[in-house]
Amino acid sequence: MEDRSRLTPERTAFYNKIDKQNMAPLWTVLGDLVTPEPASKCEAAIWHFDEIRTAMLEAGGLITAKEAERRVLILENPGLRGESKITTSLYAGVQLVLPGEIAPAHRHTQSALRFVLEGSGAHTAVGGEKTIMQYGDFVITPQMAWHDHGNETDAPMFWLDGLDIPLVSILDASFAEVLGEDAQAITRKSGQSYAEFGHNLMPVDSVRSGHVSPIFNYPYEQSRETLEAMKRGDDPDPCHGWKLRYSNPLDGGHAMPTIGTFIQLLPKIGTLPYRSTDATVFTCVEGNGKSRIGETLVEWGPKDIFVVPSWKPVVHEPAQESILFSYSDRPVQEKLGLWRELRGNS
Ligand code: 1HN
């Protein structure tokens, strides 16, 4: 068979010549650029919370939240080491705020989500409003919103940070600034956004529009109750169990423009194989079990974090009814017409 990558002395001489002119042949790289299906360097992987927790507490003895600006350990995908990525398009880290600490106010074009893993009662302030965080709460920091965190409780607080850093980076659209003060001014009552937008109602003259949900804390208590109601009313989906998408009450779209966020209740019988083009980061909220991701088996319990790469088939085998939170770049792929899924074994 003809090999278009085969080197001959003439070809090598030509490639060397055009290399000096910042040109390169397409035919030697075409197969790597346009693959018949996703061929990601992102690997299936799991991080166990007990190991993260131990390392974080050690980090807590080395640097304060204030000095670090954010005391976070990045969860680096083993196939993408050194790139600060958990998938090709998304970042994940675990943040620790110790009692009495403050993570000072800053803002940036990267959007962030927090998913609370341990502790109860620390706060984050976003856009002039504080929200108190509890286990399993999903909290949004929209792009360019000032945000600072504080822990006035007597126990350490841990949460999962998910950001669209690699997406913003590939678009060269990063802007950031520090406020220069520990905490931003508080101008709204705690819980006001949820009260105004979280109950199928909204202020009649609200001029908030699209893009990102005005609800910036989706409390776990509500998500849990909704999953239970779904379970009472419907059979589980064979691939997902009972699965919800966090939505933006302004337009019914995803709660965040760049990151899709989901919570699902897995029935004890588990799920059928499922694959989609949005590599997905999962964390277990309740229960325990195993997931088969292609050839890789991961065993998870509460607060463990695992990643399913694009187009790798996943089968969840919970040991009992279990709840998983997850996030991916699905909203971006949907808007660009790129998102695909495949249900079952085909
Ligand atoms: C950030 O602003 C936070 O505000 C956490 O808690 C992690 C990682 C990279 C860039 C900004 C936070 C971050 C981050």
Side-chain angles (χ1 to χ4, degrees):
M1 207 181 74
E2 284 286 343
D3 177 3
R4 63 192 181 207
S5 295
R6 189 171 55 86
L7 290 176
T8 61
E10 294 80 6
R11 287 180 181 180
T12 303
F14 174 68
Y15 299 160
N16 287 342
K17 184 169 70 188
I18 63 170
D19 180 61
K20 295 183 186 68
Q21 298 162 301
N22 296 316
M23 291 190 278
L26 170 63
W27 56 90
T28 61
V29 292
L30 183 55
D32 295 331
L33 293 179
V34 182
T35 56
E37 52 180 69
S40 182
K41 287 190 294 169
C42 173
E43 294 173 12
I46 185 162
W47 293 259
H48 293 285
F49 185 69
D50 55 352
E51 289 182 19
I52 299 173
R53 191 180 192 282
T54 303
M56 293 260 16
L57 288 174
E58 201 173 330
L62 295 173
I63 192 163
T64 64
K66 190 166 174 173
E67 186 187 354
E69 192 166 334
R70 296 295 184 267
R71 190 202 294 109
V72 178
L73 293 180
I74 304 171
L75 307 183
E76 285 205 327
N77 190 285
L80 303 164
R81 289 309 310 275
E83 298 184 42
S84 305
K85 296 174 178 179
I86 190 157
T87 70
T88 307
S89 62
L90 295 172
Y91 159 103
V94 174
Q95 179 156 183
L96 165 65
V97 185
L98 286 167
E101 282 194 325
I102 281 207
H106 70 190
R107 63 177 184 170
H108 37 70
T109 48
Q110 291 81 359
S111 302
L113 69 86
R114 330 275 166 205
F115 191 80
V116 180
L117 298 176
E118 186 186 308
S120 172
H123 72 265
T124 186
V126 174
E129 182 178 332
K130 261 189 192 180
T131 187
I132 304 295
M133 297 186 282
Q134 313 290 345
Y135 183 65
D137 289 357
F138 157 54
V139 177
I140 300 174
T141 308
Q143 56 182 75
M144 281 325 256
W146 291 110
H147 54 287
D148 48 89
H149 319 302
N151 182 356
E152 286 142 30
T153 75
D154 55 11
M157 187 92 183
F158 296 87
W159 62 75
L160 172 64
D161 284 318
L163 286 94
D164 55 8
I165 295 171
L167 277 172
V168 174
S169 167
I170 203 167
L171 298 171
D172 277 335
S174 179
F175 293 89
E177 43 187 323
V178 294
L179 185 61
E181 286 168 40
D182 281 353
Q184 66 189 284
I186 297 302
T187 56
R188 293 163 58 82
K189 289 259 185 295
S190 215
Q192 195 174 338
S193 296
Y194 189 68
E196 289 179 351
F197 291 94
H199 305 90
N200 293 319
L201 293 163
M202 66 177 75
V204 65
D205 290 323
S206 171
V207 291
R208 310 278 289 256
S209 64
H211 244 43
V212 65
S213 172
I215 302 171
F216 73 105
N217 187 345
Y218 290 73
Y220 182 56
E221 203 182 333
Q222 272 299 317
S223 323
R224 182 87 181 73
E225 228 173 272
T226 310
L227 286 172
E228 285 297 335
M230 231 182 144
K231 182 180 133 188
R232 285 192 297 272
D234 293 313
D235 290 336
D237 176 279
C239 292
H240 298 309
W242 295 275
K243 186 166 181 176
L244 295 163
R245 166 171 77 75
Y246 291 89
S247 73
N248 177 348
L250 300 179
D251 64 3
H254 290 279
M256 302 173 70
T258 50
I259 308 181
T261 46
F262 311 89
I263 193 154
Q264 74 200 99
L265 175 57
L266 296 173
K268 192 158 181 269
I269 53 161
T271 61
L272 293 182
Y274 177 81
R275 55 169 94 184
S276 61
T277 49
D278 55 325
T280 304
V281 180
F282 288 87
T283 186
C284 170
V285 195
E286 292 182 39
N288 68 300
K290 299 175 187 167
S291 296
R292 290 178 197 281
I293 309 164
E295 307 289 292
T296 308
L297 182 70
V298 294
E299 267 190 80
W300 42 262
K303 309 168 209 281
D304 291 346
I305 296 152
F306 63 96
V307 59
V308 176
S310 166
W311 216 239
K312 282 272 192 285
V314 61
V315 175
H316 300 298
E317 298 171 2
Q320 55 183 307
E321 261 192 12
S322 297
I323 295 183
L324 302 178
F325 169 84
S326 59
Y327 69 93
S328 77
D329 63 12
R330 181 164 164 176
V332 178
Q333 294 203 31
E334 285 176 348
K335 278 182 207 112
L336 302 181
L338 292 168
W339 186 78
R340 281 200 206 193
E341 66 177 346
L342 195 59
R343 289 163 166 268
N345 274 314
S346 51

